[in-house]
Amino acid sequence: ERWGLLSTPGTTRDLGRLNRARGEQYVAQGDYPAATRALLLAVESLPGDPVLHFNLGRLLSQSGRTNEAIQHYRACLQLTPEDPEALNNLAYMLLERGEYAEAEGYLRTAIRVAPSFPHAHFNLGRVLFETGRDSEGMNQFQQAANLDPSYAEWFAEFQLGG
């Protein structure tokens, strides 16, 4: 009897899990608007789930809902402060808005916790270039290219001014 009470469907937590599962299913099907709606419902029931906040950040970003995406990446980072992907994604959004100092801080943290994460090096290179620190930026671009060969071609073209 006692176990039945613990697994009784219909609790807020169960509803959150159900909506999270639906959201993940919609993502797998490519229905991103439905996924966003389901995950927004899920996070109401499971506000302490960093993966939900991260996935919402990504979905909201893709649909141009930048302010909401930033809020969810920040919520993710409150729960998991050293998540390099969340740090990088939040920094990228801030970089795109011209908020270079804050973006740089998040990227430096991402690189500190995950030194082999090429996207963070690349985005830090962009921040450094935008703020007039071209030499440091080139070093970060080179680091990204060393870590991920897909950046090497871009880096070579960039050096040639193309």
Side-chain angles (χ1 to χ4, degrees):
E1 187 68 42
R2 192 176 81 189
W3 295 107
L5 291 175
L6 292 175
S7 62
T8 301
T11 66
T12 301
R13 197 167 205 65
D14 289 338
L15 184 59
R17 289 184 186 124
L18 176 64
N19 282 317
R20 180 178 53 205
R22 284 183 180 151
E24 292 166 358
Q25 182 180 15
Y26 289 135
V27 167
Q29 296 169 352
D31 188 348
Y32 302 118
T36 302
R37 287 189 300 274
L39 293 181
L40 284 169
L41 288 171
V43 82
E44 288 177 19
S45 302
L46 302 169
D49 186 331
V51 174
L52 269 175
H53 287 290
F54 179 86
N55 289 339
L56 272 167
R58 181 177 283 171
L59 286 167
L60 291 164
S61 170
Q62 290 171 349
S63 65
R65 294 165 66 178
T66 303
N67 292 335
E68 291 173 271
I70 287 172
Q71 288 174 349
H72 283 285
Y73 282 128
R74 288 187 195 282
C76 175
L77 289 169
Q78 285 180 345
L79 299 163
T80 54
E82 295 192 338
D83 179 327
E85 286 187 71
L87 289 161
N88 179 71
N89 290 3
L90 175 57
Y92 174 81
M93 299 190 79
L94 295 169
L95 166 63
E96 292 295 307
R97 289 178 21 166
E99 298 176 30
Y100 303 122
E102 191 174 2
E104 181 176 348
Y106 285 118
L107 290 165
R108 290 197 184 277
T109 301
I111 290 168
R112 180 181 52 77
V113 298
S116 61
F117 188 39
H119 305 304
H121 287 282
F122 178 79
N123 286 328
L124 181 56
R126 289 183 59 208
V127 167
L128 294 168
F129 257 86
E130 291 291 337
T131 57
R133 295 173 282 167
D134 295 1
S135 177
E136 288 178 77
M138 287 298 284
N139 289 338
Q140 291 300 317
F141 289 149
Q142 181 65 59
Q143 185 68 18
N146 290 343
L147 292 167
D148 182 343
S150 68
Y151 285 110
E153 184 177 330
W154 178 91
F155 181 68
E157 287 180 26
F158 183 81
Q159 283 184 305
L160 297 172

